[in-house]
Amino acid sequence: MKISLNWIRDYVALDAAVPEITRAITFLGFEVEHVATTGAPALEHVVVGEVLACDRHPNADKLSVCRVDIGPAGGVRTIVCGAQNYRVGDRVPVALPGAVLPGDFRIKQSKIRGELSDGMLCSARELGIGEDQGGLLILEGRPALGAPINDVLPPGDTVFDIEITPNRPDCLSHIGLARELAAGFRKGLTYPQEKFRGEVDAAAKSDLFEAVQVDTPEDCPLYTAHVLAGVKVGPSPAWMQERLRAVGLRPINNIVDAGNYVMLEYGQPLHAFDARKIAGGRLVVRRAFEGEKITTLDGKERTLSARTLVIADAAKALVVAGVMGGENSGIDPSTTSIVLECAIFRPASVRWTSRSLGLSSDSSYRYERGVDPHTAVEAARRAIDLIIETAGGSVVAPICIAGGDVPWKREVELTSGFVRERLGFDIPEPEMKAALESLELNVAHEVQTADGARWTVSIPSWRDDLDRPIDLVEEILRIHGTERIPGARVTSIGLVAEDDPVVVFNRRASAYLVGHDFHECVNLTLRPARELTTWVSQTAAAELALANPFVEDQSHLRPTLIMGLLDSILLNQSRGTAGAPLFEVGRIFVEHNGHNLEGASAAFVIPEDAARHWRRREPADFYTARHHLAAVAAAAAVDLGSAPITPVTGPGNAWQEGHSAGAGAIDQGWVARFGLVNLALLRSLGIEGNVLAGTFTILPERLSDAAPRLRFRDFSLFPAALRDIALVVDRSARAGDVRSEVARAAAAAAGESFAVEDVGVFDVYEGKGLPEGKKSVAFSLVFRSPSRTLTDEEVNIVFQRIQDELGKTSAYQVRK
Amino acid sequence: MEMHEQLSTLLTKAAEELQATRTRPELEAAKARYVGPNGEFTAIMKQMGSVAKELRPAMGKLVNESKARLQALLDSRLRAIEDSELSARLGPPIDPTLPSPDPGPGTYHPLTLVREEVCRILRKVGFTVADGPEVETEFYCFDALNTPPDHPARDAQDTFYFPPTTSFDNVTVHRPGERYLLRTHTSSVQVRTMLKGPPPIRIVSPGRVYRRDTTDASHSANFHQIECLYVDRGVTVRDLKALLDYLFEALLGPGTKTRFRPHYFGYTEPSFEVDLSARHLPKVNKEWIEIGGCGIVDPEVFKAVGYDPDVWTGYAFGMGIERLAMTLYGIDDIRLFYQNDLRLLRQFAGGV
């Protein structure tokens, strides 16, 4: 909101400089977004002069050599001038040597094309007070010669553009802000003098207007109307126009301007009707009919809904209540009688109307934030004073009033001890009390208690935001000054608490991946719909959709971090930055069998390294992805090695069939996918080369189970016995399945006698020496006893049993 | 030939022959030729018996000296062969100026670096890191934080909502039928933490938040916040100021100042905006930069989570991580954080 300093000075005698006032506004709690100064800056050595003579410059067609009288002290000077718009005898601003004009333009004595010039005759722009009007600024009214130019030019104004927080609707007005500044500068506040006090001009008594009727008191708790007759519509006076313009309003006419002026002064919106245009002489506050139309003052026809509140006459809607008047009932040059509305509308109702019509105004802005009903009549009377002052006329009927019958009274009890306890430092009691009273928070009653003075503070009606002791602590601190909060050291008691398990998982997974040369990325959570269906089912995509996306391509929650990581690969590829392994940790969202879940996830991608290196390394493959994924799962205390791993199958998958796998299921707590990203998907995205990826997701609540403390397991110090076995199996058989079979057979064969410590794959072979369609998988078996050294004999017996068992029960052939 | 002449000739020959050996077997063969049972030196030693008695001491000395010299020749040759074997294993010397063909190093994202640094600083004064869901409900995001039902912040204009039929199984609601939304601040984590257990509480909650806003150089559809909450008996405005002075001095170095400006937030009373003075940072050309908001927890918030506001007091502070990172690193477009251009990421290798 824009606040004029000249205007503020009507209510409080501020003599501080602008920077000091700006600072005060800021520390009272209102952010100053902009400060604009109008009018002339302070100009030294710029005085009034009169052009005595004007001769053509001997060496320049467009220049003149003037003789200028600057009064008894300065005498007559010779000045070269390029302007054409003046005549001999005109009085103009003269910048003398030593003057500094805006833009750091320094005036000194100089020769211009051979002629001496002892200063400069100035235009409005050169003085910093406006645009050039075709040459020199001609001073009206023949000001005294030699007078400093600042004494002659109209004084400037300073306009502050201030952000008013939603709790302070009272400060959407000059009086509201003046009250704050008066408190801030410890000055008195003078309210405008009230002339009209409700008396009716008996001579001009009129029955032009009968009554107001409020059908919706829940949305219009107060409606008042004053009737004035004999007004003469015309331009408002210059001082009023100037102030309205200064704060960004366009002057219309004396009636409308008076209403706007009072709105900016008191924060109370007002509306004036032409009384003759009110059919039936009654105003009704009612809901619009569904589809009812009105053309608002901005010239647009608006279709209203049954929820819109309107002010209507017997025939039609005249005003969208609290938002904007209609063209059909406004003031025009022929208006002589007016009905002045001063009303209170419920904030939510005005907000809804304003939003639904896409129409906001200075009035709706104030109503949305809340207008004080208890000063409404005062504001109406102020407007009547201004109308009578500027447009004549008189009040010809008693006020029509509906609602507003609940009187205001609020008191809050506060002790100085409470203030100290909340602030953590001391402010002397008299200062606390003075701070409250400076804001018109008057202490109605005071007693001394063990907790210091106890004050009963009356809260004025415009401070609906204050109703608890803590609210008054803030007021005292504001006036005391938040910059005066004393410094201190942090004191900290020890609490038995740990970082959230999700945080710990993120940190561990990231540390592993960064340590393995991955770069951490951050991508947006919201993704386009079409992309989701590549990764998840239609059903899942529908469940992850927002009700109100802001832009089309950010309409759905991400079901995987890989989407964003592929974007990052593509961006770097398109910018010619060589690919590098990337990862992200963050939240993802999944739909699973009709349940939506939020998961903590970590994912990585390894693009093909297209850069040329002087020495080539072994490229990453599926098992690289599996290796890293196992480490990420371990960060969540999940052992990927002990979970069944199944290949990802099915067409239309984001993973490449035959080259990717998964483990776990989200409804059991966690899920993992890893391997090659679908080549067709990569091609459709425009990514060159293969991309290996891995993603691990766990439900946060699953991580929340406190991990049991690790326990040491004793191990044998006796030597191990090793045996190797190779099995010929179908090419399509999975090593994991074969291994389980071997491990099972080995455990069965060893029985109770000793342990089969490990069964590990050490070779996979197909080709020469093996039948078509077969491969050989070789395992090394490790046997060990906790209590003795195993003999070859006993191991051989067990090993033979394993071979027999495998040969007998499985489809595998032991390779000799 | 006299014996001493024989010895001298033998040593000269041995020196030449040993010098020519290249491998251990060659050396062993050569050694056998001289000092083996049938070796030439062994043969000379055998002649000692026939030497005249009076010449024996002198000859004995000569033989011993020759033997020592021969052994020295053998030892030195063995060392030379061992050295050459080692250098054969090493291959040619490397060029240390060639770059490693391996990728790396890996990097943390600048937003993570800033977040972790703030958490680290706060952990030292007793804060633990809390976390919570990004999908939230109206209660945790608004109601419990003293946001009135018709407050503009919860309008569909500013907040992302889910359709009324959408729900999330592992995001608990407080009341049946609550609407799900994307959290607009991490304060919802504070509410969940307070509902989980009694005070005292000292948490820092970093995380991703969402606003329905146009994307430009300083706005993004999602961004990150970091918030602190401390609840205990007798927590004061002065304690809050002390925390922020500590945090920003630890983060930005000595000479960093903070100041409070009164402001308004529904969930704190009194409320302040926090400004930072750090002229020593690059691209900071204002005396004060607005960095976050804070205040004393509003009693209404305590009531909503079942804490007695007459017993417990607390403070809360929050700021945007992007904004802090932009200030710290001199990054002037928020969108750079979400593009993941490796030329940006690599600048933060090993970084603080």
Side-chain angles (χ1 to χ4, degrees):
Chain A
M1 130 150 233
K2 286 188 168 145
I3 293 284
S4 147
L5 182 55
N6 287 349
W7 197 336
I8 289 283
R9 285 190 173 126
D10 280 5
Y11 319 112
V12 53
L14 286 184
D15 43 18
V18 170
E20 209 179 320
I21 295 171
T22 309
R23 191 183 155 74
I25 297 172
T26 306
F27 281 91
L28 284 162
F30 306 94
E31 204 165 319
V32 179
E33 286 168 345
H34 189 67
V35 182
T37 299
T38 59
L43 296 165
E44 281 185 49
H45 306 295
V46 184
V47 299
V48 177
E50 183 175 318
V51 181
L52 298 179
C54 175
D55 298 312
R56 168 78 56 87
H57 190 293
N59 305 321
D61 286 351
K62 292 196 172 152
L63 296 179
S64 311
V65 181
C66 301
R67 309 244 323 130
V68 185
D69 182 1
I70 55 166
V76 176
R77 309 280 179 116
T78 302
I79 295 173
V80 176
C81 177
Q84 312 286 335
N85 68 324
Y86 60 95
R87 296 181 199 165
V88 168
D90 279 345
R91 295 202 170 175
V92 295
V94 184
L96 297 172
V100 182
L101 300 185
D104 202 28
F105 182 21
R106 290 166 187 280
I107 304 299
K108 49 184 188 280
Q109 204 180 54
S110 59
K111 274 199 172 171
I112 299 174
R113 298 247 178 144
E115 289 293 311
L116 188 80
S117 184
D118 202 10
M120 186 175 91
L121 308 184
C122 304
S123 69
R125 192 172 61 84
E126 282 156 347
L127 295 178
I129 55 170
E131 289 310 302
D132 274 337
Q133 274 124 21
L136 302 184
L137 175 67
I138 311 295
L139 301 169
E140 304 293 334
R142 300 193 64 75
L145 292 180
I149 199 71
N150 286 109
D151 293 355
V152 173
L153 296 174
D157 193 2
T158 299
V159 175
F160 301 96
D161 202 341
I162 299 172
E163 190 201 318
I164 307 291
T165 51
N167 60 325
R168 295 302 304 274
D170 63 304
C171 286
L172 293 171
S173 68
H174 279 76
I175 288 180
L177 217 74
R179 191 183 289 124
E180 293 288 313
L181 284 165
F185 284 100
R186 315 288 191 277
K187 300 261 184 188
L189 185 72
T190 314
Y191 285 95
Q193 216 167 23
E194 203 174 81
K195 294 191 196 98
F196 171 68
R197 289 175 187 279
E199 58 282 358
V200 174
D201 180 356
K205 198 165 174 5
S206 155
D207 50 6
L208 200 63
F209 182 75
E210 285 172 23
V212 294
Q213 173 192 330
V214 177
D215 291 351
T216 55
E218 68 281 8
D219 280 349
C220 176
L222 173 68
Y223 196 95
T224 73
H226 284 93
V227 187
L228 287 92
V231 299
K232 189 168 183 308
V233 176
S236 55
W239 64 267
M240 188 181 278
Q241 292 200 17
E242 194 180 301
R243 286 194 171 174
L244 292 176
R245 278 204 194 91
V247 298
L249 259 67
R250 189 168 54 91
I252 311 282
N253 59 49
N254 43 12
I255 309 289
V256 174
D257 290 357
N260 283 338
Y261 189 88
V262 173
M263 174 180 72
L264 297 171
E265 190 175 40
Y266 281 81
Q268 167 70 56
L270 295 141
H271 183 75
F273 298 87
D274 184 330
R276 287 173 314 176
K277 297 179 188 167
I278 300 173
R282 292 171 73 86
L283 286 175
V284 184
V285 183
R286 61 161 169 86
R287 307 233 180 262
F289 308 118
E290 189 68 43
E292 190 171 0
K293 293 202 165 36
I294 184 169
T295 302
T296 41
L297 280 169
D298 55 3
K300 293 201 177 105
E301 189 186 67
R302 313 218 171 234
T303 306
L304 308 177
S305 93
R307 207 175 142 182
T308 319
L309 201 65
V310 294
I311 318 297
D313 64 9
K316 60 201 178 290
L318 305 176
V319 170
V320 181
V323 181
M324 195 175 275
E327 279 188 333
N328 56 9
S329 58
I331 307 299
D332 65 47
S334 68
T335 300
T336 56
S337 318
I338 61 169
V339 173
L340 183 69
E341 164 199 297
C342 179
I344 300 295
F345 302 107
R346 194 167 65 91
S349 164
V350 175
R351 183 176 308 123
W352 184 87
T353 304
S354 170
R355 289 268 163 100
S356 69
L357 293 177
L359 176 63
S360 64
S361 62
D362 288 322
S363 161
S364 68
Y365 183 66
R366 285 172 175 77
Y367 279 125
E368 280 177 35
R369 290 170 166 235
V371 176
D372 174 19
H374 305 279
T375 47
V377 170
E378 192 185 328
R381 288 177 174 180
R382 168 70 171 159
I384 288 165
D385 285 347
L386 289 174
I387 290 169
I388 294 172
E389 185 186 323
T390 64
S394 59
V395 176
V396 295
I399 181 173
C400 293
I401 187 162
D405 24 30
V406 185
W408 173 267
K409 182 174 167 66
R410 185 183 292 170
E411 287 180 343
V412 175
E413 300 259 309
L414 179 74
T415 64
S416 64
F418 181 80
V419 179
R420 274 183 216 109
E421 192 185 301
R422 287 296 184 268
L423 292 180
F425 60 94
D426 190 25
I427 298 174
E429 268 181 17
E431 198 194 315
M432 289 190 196
K433 189 176 167 186
L436 292 171
E437 298 204 314
S438 72
L439 290 162
E440 298 185 41
L441 305 168
N442 295 321
V443 174
H445 187 63
E446 175 172 349
V447 289
Q448 283 302 324
T449 70
D451 202 20
R454 176 195 295 280
W455 298 303
T456 305
V457 182
S458 332
I459 309 297
S461 61
W462 57 83
R463 291 305 304 274
D464 194 27
D465 59 314
L466 306 178
D467 60 359
R468 302 164 304 176
I470 191 70
D471 299 330
L472 299 181
V473 172
E474 177 167 43
E475 295 307 288
I476 291 169
L477 180 56
R478 274 196 319 126
I479 301 303
H480 174 75
T482 48
E483 281 194 303
R484 292 166 66 193
I485 299 167
R489 287 185 185 283
V490 180
T491 51
S492 170
I493 52 152
L495 299 177
V496 178
E498 287 300 328
D499 287 354
D500 189 281
V502 174
V503 173
V504 175
F505 163 67
N506 289 344
R507 202 182 288 144
R508 283 187 186 156
S510 303
Y512 170 84
L513 290 165
V514 169
H516 288 78
D517 299 331
F518 286 81
H519 298 276
E520 187 185 13
C521 295
V522 173
N523 284 290
L524 296 178
T525 302
L526 298 175
R527 312 289 311 184
R530 64 188 136 71
E531 190 186 32
L532 255 82
T533 48
T534 311
W535 288 85
V536 297
S537 68
Q538 293 280 357
T539 321
E543 283 295 319
L544 300 177
L546 291 170
N548 58 338
F550 189 64
V551 284
E552 203 194 333
D553 63 353
Q554 296 179 0
S555 56
H556 287 65
L557 295 177
R558 59 183 177 187
T560 169
L561 299 173
I562 308 242
M563 292 174 166
L565 290 170
L566 293 177
D567 280 357
S568 306
I569 292 180
L570 191 60
L571 177 123
N572 281 291
Q573 227 167 53
S574 66
R575 291 185 178 178
T577 316
L582 307 176
F583 80 100
E584 181 167 358
V585 295
R587 298 295 182 125
I588 59 118
F589 307 86
V590 289
E591 184 274 346
H592 186 84
N593 296 337
H595 301 281
N596 301 333
L597 296 161
E598 176 171 337
S601 192
F604 59 82
V605 289
I606 309 171
E608 211 167 285
D609 187 0
R612 291 179 300 173
H613 298 286
W614 65 272
R615 176 174 288 169
R616 196 75 203 162
R617 295 298 200 208
E618 186 90 352
D621 61 15
F622 171 84
Y623 299 98
T624 317
R626 184 186 155 148
H627 169 71
H628 291 314
L629 198 88
V632 169
V638 168
D639 178 11
L640 193 68
S642 68
I645 288 175
T646 50
V648 173
T649 54
N653 201 295
W655 298 91
Q656 183 62 47
E657 195 173 356
H659 295 268
S660 56
I666 197 67
D667 52 350
Q668 279 140 47
W670 62 269
V671 63
R673 290 276 180 279
F674 46 93
L676 197 60
V677 177
N678 188 295
L679 297 186
L681 170 62
L682 293 178
R683 193 173 54 217
S684 74
L685 291 172
I687 293 176
E688 288 163 25
N690 291 350
V691 176
L692 286 159
T695 163
F696 176 80
T697 302
I698 187 159
L699 299 179
E701 57 271 28
R702 160 78 193 242
L703 279 168
S704 301
D705 306 326
R709 187 165 300 280
L710 297 175
R711 299 284 302 179
F712 166 69
R713 285 188 310 275
D714 205 2
F715 47 80
S716 168
L717 296 175
F718 292 93
L722 309 179
R723 295 292 184 277
D724 292 346
I725 183 170
L727 297 172
V728 177
V729 302
D730 282 348
R731 181 183 285 159
S732 61
R734 288 188 220 132
D737 299 340
V738 182
R739 186 193 165 277
S740 313
E741 195 77 358
V742 174
R744 191 191 52 74
E752 300 287 307
S753 46
F754 49 83
V756 181
E757 201 173 75
D758 188 38
V759 177
V761 180
F762 74 88
D763 187 47
V764 179
Y765 170 80
E766 52 187 294
K768 213 173 138 193
L770 285 177
E772 190 62 29
K774 297 281 183 185
K775 67 181 173 190
S776 154
V777 186
F779 301 88
S780 92
L781 293 96
V782 181
F783 304 100
R784 202 193 300 262
S785 158
S787 52
R788 62 195 158 83
T789 302
L790 295 176
T791 63
D792 262 1
E793 204 166 40
E794 60 185 330
V795 174
N796 286 343
I797 291 169
V798 166
F799 188 55
Q800 188 56 50
R801 246 186 257 154
I802 296 170
Q803 296 182 59
D804 294 348
E805 172 73 9
L806 287 170
K808 192 163 58 193
T809 61
S810 70
Y812 313 144
Q813 209 189 336
V814 179
R815 198 174 167 205
K816 301 292 181 197
Chain B
M1 213 187 328
E2 288 298 323
M3 201 170 168
H4 71 270
E5 279 170 13
Q6 282 182 3
L7 279 170
S8 160
T9 315
L10 189 71
L11 279 175
T12 312
K13 194 173 133 217
E16 276 169 20
E17 224 171 277
L18 286 174
Q19 197 60 39
T21 60
R22 289 282 172 271
T23 63
R24 273 173 207 265
E26 280 175 33
L27 180 65
E28 289 303 322
K31 187 179 173 184
R33 279 202 299 280
Y34 292 98
V35 294
N38 302 312
E40 292 181 41
F41 187 74
T42 315
I44 294 175
M45 297 268 281
K46 284 175 185 162
Q47 293 174 26
M48 275 298 284
S50 60
V51 171
K53 201 174 176 188
E54 66 280 11
L55 292 177
R56 261 188 212 170
M59 278 317 287
K61 195 175 169 230
L62 185 65
V63 166
N64 280 339
E65 278 170 12
S66 303
K67 190 179 176 185
R69 283 182 60 198
L70 191 57
Q71 191 57 48
L73 282 171
L74 282 166
D75 288 350
S76 114
R77 195 57 210 152
L78 181 62
R79 273 198 303 278
I81 288 171
E82 275 173 355
D83 284 353
S84 84
E85 274 172 0
L86 279 180
S87 50
R89 201 191 319 160
L90 283 173
I94 48 86
D95 175 354
T97 63
L98 273 169
S100 168
D102 296 318
T107 53
Y108 284 102
H109 195 278
L111 293 176
T112 301
L113 290 176
V114 172
R115 183 192 72 216
E116 288 300 306
E117 194 173 354
V118 172
C119 289
R120 207 158 47 232
I121 291 166
L122 291 171
R123 215 179 278 122
K124 287 193 284 189
V125 286
F127 286 81
T128 48
V129 188
D131 198 53
E134 289 175 13
V135 164
E136 265 298 356
T137 74
E138 286 181 278
F139 174 79
Y140 296 99
C141 199
F142 297 126
D143 299 339
L145 291 159
N146 197 28
T147 315
D150 60 350
H151 193 276
R154 52 203 294 169
D155 200 282
Q157 197 124 338
D158 300 321
T159 301
F160 289 113
Y161 283 91
F162 292 93
T165 50
T166 303
S167 66
F168 286 79
D169 283 29
N170 63 341
V171 178
T172 52
V173 293
H174 192 71
R175 285 187 304 262
E178 272 188 86
R179 261 187 98 174
Y180 283 88
L181 48 84
L182 284 174
R183 67 181 181 192
T184 56
H185 45 203
T186 50
S187 312
S188 51
V189 178
Q190 304 183 351
V191 177
R192 286 187 182 272
T193 306
M194 287 191 279
L195 282 167
K196 236 185 273 173
I201 280 176
R202 205 182 218 126
I203 54 159
V204 50
S205 53
R208 186 171 281 211
V209 299
Y210 303 83
R211 305 266 168 96
R212 248 179 129 257
D213 212 341
T214 318
T215 301
D216 60 27
S218 50
H219 295 88
S220 167
N222 63 238
F223 60 100
H224 297 79
Q225 277 188 340
I226 191 157
E227 295 196 335
C228 316
L229 171 73
Y230 175 42
V231 183
D232 207 336
R233 289 183 169 85
V235 178
T236 68
V237 171
R238 191 180 188 179
D239 293 334
L240 171 58
K241 182 70 165 46
L243 178 81
L244 293 178
D245 285 344
Y246 160 76
L247 170 62
F248 288 108
E249 188 173 339
L251 196 61
L252 305 173
T256 306
K257 281 183 292 185
T258 61
R259 71 174 190 187
F260 284 8
R261 280 182 288 112
H263 197 66
Y264 169 75
F265 304 110
Y267 30 91
T268 48
E269 180 77 21
S271 306
F272 311 99
E273 287 201 306
V274 183
D275 290 344
L276 199 60
S277 168
R279 293 300 288 261
H280 57 285
L281 293 178
K283 294 196 193 178
V284 171
N285 44 21
K286 284 194 291 188
E287 191 184 351
W288 294 98
I289 342 167
E290 189 183 316
I291 198 73
C294 67
I296 297 297
V297 179
D298 196 286
E300 292 301 313
V301 175
F302 285 152
K303 282 186 205 160
V305 298
Y307 288 3
D308 182 350
D310 291 332
V311 175
W312 300 107
T313 46
Y315 63 63
F317 162 69
M319 65 180 160
I321 297 181
E322 277 82 352
R323 188 184 190 122
L324 182 61
M326 288 164 92
T327 308
L328 275 178
Y329 298 128
I331 294 173
D332 37 29
D333 191 326
I334 198 171
R335 288 166 293 200
L336 285 169
F337 290 124
Y338 295 94
Q339 290 173 349
N340 307 309
D341 190 313
L342 282 157
R343 291 167 296 176
L344 176 128
L345 300 180
R346 287 204 168 101
Q347 292 180 34
F348 294 90
V352 266

